[in-house]
Amino acid sequence: MRKIDPVKHEQKRRDILEAAGRCFAKDGFRGASISSICSEAKISAGHLYHYFASKEAIIEAMAATGLEHAEQRFNHLMKSDNPIEGLIAEIEQANSQSCTMQQHQIDMRAKKQLHVDMLAEAGRNPAMAEIVNKHSAKIRGMLATLLETAQKRGQIDQALDPDLAAAILLGAMEGVGNMTMRDPELDMKKKLEMLSTLIKRFLTPGSSKEK
């Protein structure tokens, strides 16, 4: 039996995921075929199946990678003296304009289109629905834990239900992100500024008390 080099195995796995991501962003989940992914990754179909059994398995691996990164960032935020500002900084970093404005807008639209495509596929594909639901629940759970911890420290409005507040925040962030698809001409900087204002007003201690 041939011994597998774990380092090379993991690198090839990452290469396939990156290639699949490009294909999904370009052609959508349904439009991207296994053959197109193999062509992008420069491997045979037989070779790909050594790593992933299906396109759904590729998506699941992508989601797992995203959750690992999210967990690291949430653990960092848990130690923050100002979790509201820390959360806003994370959102701004995720939308960082590290490339040209034009290329940034193209990349953002591709990512958002892929996200919407995954949601649409979840509506007709039980396997995809399970992946999307698990991923969403875990992200919401991480954010809810952050909010609850910050409430105990008096950093966030204690009148808020952490789980419901997390769901609302994620919905707002997703909605603002999808605006890039609806109107690419909207100013990204101003959108993020207004989202920051919304988050601050929503989470600041005492902001939800009845007057």
Side-chain angles (χ1 to χ4, degrees):
M1 181 181 294
R2 188 179 67 176
K3 187 176 181 180
I4 296 176
D5 185 326
V7 175
K8 290 183 178 180
H9 180 87
E10 182 58 28
Q11 181 58 56
K12 177 55 69 175
R13 187 173 180 275
R14 286 199 301 266
D15 291 343
I16 294 171
L17 291 177
E18 290 174 3
R22 292 191 294 271
C23 290
F24 291 148
K26 177 184 176 184
D27 301 318
F29 179 80
R30 291 210 161 194
S33 64
I34 288 294
S35 61
S36 67
I37 294 172
C38 290
S39 177
E40 182 71 21
K42 296 179 175 57
I43 59 174
S44 67
H47 195 183
L48 181 143
Y49 286 124
H50 281 299
Y51 297 87
F52 302 102
S54 64
K55 288 196 293 183
E56 287 83 359
I58 292 174
I59 290 293
E60 188 170 17
M62 288 179 172
T65 298
L67 285 173
E68 289 176 4
H69 177 72
E71 186 173 11
Q72 292 174 359
R73 300 317 302 161
F74 277 116
N75 286 339
H76 175 73
L77 286 174
M78 291 282 262
K79 303 173 185 177
S80 174
D81 293 330
N82 192 329
I84 296 178
E85 291 294 343
L87 180 61
I88 290 171
E90 288 291 332
I91 295 170
E92 291 176 345
Q93 182 178 350
N95 291 276
S96 169
Q97 298 188 25
S98 58
C99 49
T100 66
M101 174 63 75
Q102 182 180 12
Q103 187 59 48
H104 174 73
Q105 294 290 357
I106 293 172
D107 291 344
M108 288 297 294
R109 286 199 298 275
K111 289 178 182 178
K112 297 305 176 185
Q113 182 60 58
L114 177 58
H115 176 70
V116 171
D117 189 47
M118 294 301 99
L119 293 178
E121 182 65 23
R124 54 184 173 250
N125 182 331
M128 184 66 73
E130 183 177 359
I131 294 169
V132 169
N133 291 341
K134 284 184 177 180
H135 182 270
S136 297
K138 287 181 179 179
I139 290 291
R140 189 178 71 246
M142 290 180 196
L143 181 53
T145 299
L146 171 66
L147 297 180
E148 186 174 14
T149 300
Q151 283 178 320
K152 293 176 181 177
R153 297 173 182 165
Q155 299 168 314
I156 285 177
D157 193 339
Q158 296 181 2
L160 297 172
D161 176 274
D163 188 62
L164 184 56
I168 290 172
L169 282 173
L170 290 172
M173 288 185 277
E174 182 177 317
V176 168
N178 288 342
M179 289 169 65
T180 303
M181 292 171 54
R182 296 191 182 98
D183 188 351
E185 300 303 318
L186 285 175
D187 189 295
M188 174 67 71
K189 183 177 180 180
K190 289 182 179 179
K191 285 193 298 182
L192 291 176
E193 288 175 352
M194 295 194 76
L195 178 60
S196 297
T197 298
L198 183 152
I199 292 173
K200 289 177 182 178
R201 291 179 179 177
F202 182 49
L203 297 180
T204 298
S207 60
S208 66
K209 291 181 179 178
E210 294 183 1
K211 297 182 180 179

